[in-house]
Amino acid sequence: MYIWEKPDWPAFTWDEASLARLVAQASREQGRLLGKMEALGFELRGEANLRTLTEDVIKSSEIEGENLQREQVRSSIARRLGMDVEGLVPADRNVEGVVEMMLDATSNYSQALTEERLFAWHASLFPTGRSGMNKVSVGQWRDDSNGPMQVVSGPVGHEKVHYEAPPAGRISDEIEKFLLWFE
C-alpha cells in the first residue's frame, strides 16, 4: 500500500509534545548559527552562503540520481547572486535550471506556493521539454498515457517498482489540497 492509498491520507497526525523538544533544540541551534554568521564579515558571510546553497543544490539533485558538477553549481549561484568570485566556469543548462529553481525557493520562501510557481520551476528544470531522450510535458500535470508514474530500478525487463504515484486524474485535486495545507 502506498502512502496516498491510506484511508487517512493526507490528514496525518503527530504528537506535538514529542516534537516540541526537538523543534526547540533546532531553533536554539539555528539562533546560535545566525549569531555566528552575524559576527563574520560581509565577505565571509557571502562565501558561507555560497557554500551552503551549493551543497543544497548538489545534495538535492543527488536524491534524484543527478550528479551535478560542484564548480558549475557554485559558478551559477555566484553569477545569479552577483558575487565577485574567482574561477567561475560555464554551467550546463540543467545546472542553471536547478539553481534557478532552488534560489527562487530559498530566496522567495515568503511568496505563495502556487500551481503557476510549481510549473515555472518545472520549466526551469526542463527548458528543452526533454529529460535526456524522453519528452516531458512542461508546465502541466502529467497524464497516464504511458502508464502510471513509477520509481523503478533494475535491468530492463526485471525492474523493481519502489513507488507508484497516484493516478494522473487525482493530481489536480491532490495538489490543491497540498497547496492549501502548505499555506
Side-chain angles (χ1 to χ4, degrees):
M1 174 178 276
Y2 298 112
I3 193 169
W4 54 269
E5 294 175 309
K6 294 189 178 283
D8 58 347
W9 169 263
F12 298 115
T13 60
W14 56 88
D15 180 358
E16 194 168 328
S18 297
L19 293 175
R21 184 179 54 80
L22 296 171
V23 170
Q25 181 182 350
S27 181
R28 269 192 311 278
E29 294 300 321
Q30 183 182 30
R32 290 180 60 205
L33 179 61
L34 288 172
K36 288 179 182 180
M37 290 291 288
E38 287 297 319
L40 296 175
F42 181 75
E43 199 170 306
L44 288 176
R45 263 193 311 234
E47 181 59 34
N49 190 35
L50 179 58
R51 282 187 194 169
T52 301
L53 288 168
T54 300
E55 282 303 308
D56 281 352
V57 170
I58 289 171
K59 295 299 182 187
S60 295
S61 296
E62 284 176 358
I63 291 169
E64 297 297 323
E66 293 288 325
N67 295 309
L68 303 179
Q69 297 294 316
R70 182 174 306 281
E71 287 308 310
Q72 287 187 26
V73 172
R74 184 176 185 279
S75 294
S76 177
I77 293 170
R79 275 192 294 277
R80 288 176 184 277
L81 295 180
M83 297 175 74
D84 187 20
V85 177
E86 287 185 26
L88 296 183
V89 299
D92 295 339
R93 68 175 173 243
N94 62 320
V95 170
E96 294 288 0
V98 173
V99 167
E100 183 175 10
M101 183 213 50
M102 290 290 281
L103 285 178
D104 179 65
T106 57
S107 301
N108 301 314
Y109 59 86
S110 62
Q111 288 183 7
L113 184 60
T114 63
E115 183 177 284
E116 182 178 341
R117 192 165 178 207
L118 291 173
F119 287 158
W121 290 350
H122 197 225
S124 292
L125 295 174
F126 301 102
T128 64
R130 297 192 107 39
S131 175
M133 296 297 291
N134 300 313
K135 187 171 176 16
V136 176
S137 297
V138 178
Q140 57 186 306
W141 304 126
R142 67 174 166 80
D143 61 39
D144 285 338
S145 60
N146 294 321
M149 188 194 85
Q150 298 176 323
V151 176
V152 299
S153 66
V156 175
H158 301 287
E159 300 92 351
K160 178 180 178 186
V161 177
H162 299 282
Y163 176 76
E164 185 169 301
R170 288 182 54 174
I171 293 175
S172 186
D173 288 341
E174 295 292 344
I175 293 295
E176 186 176 326
K177 289 179 203 172
F178 171 73
L179 293 176
L180 284 171
W181 171 84
F182 189 80
E183 289 301 316

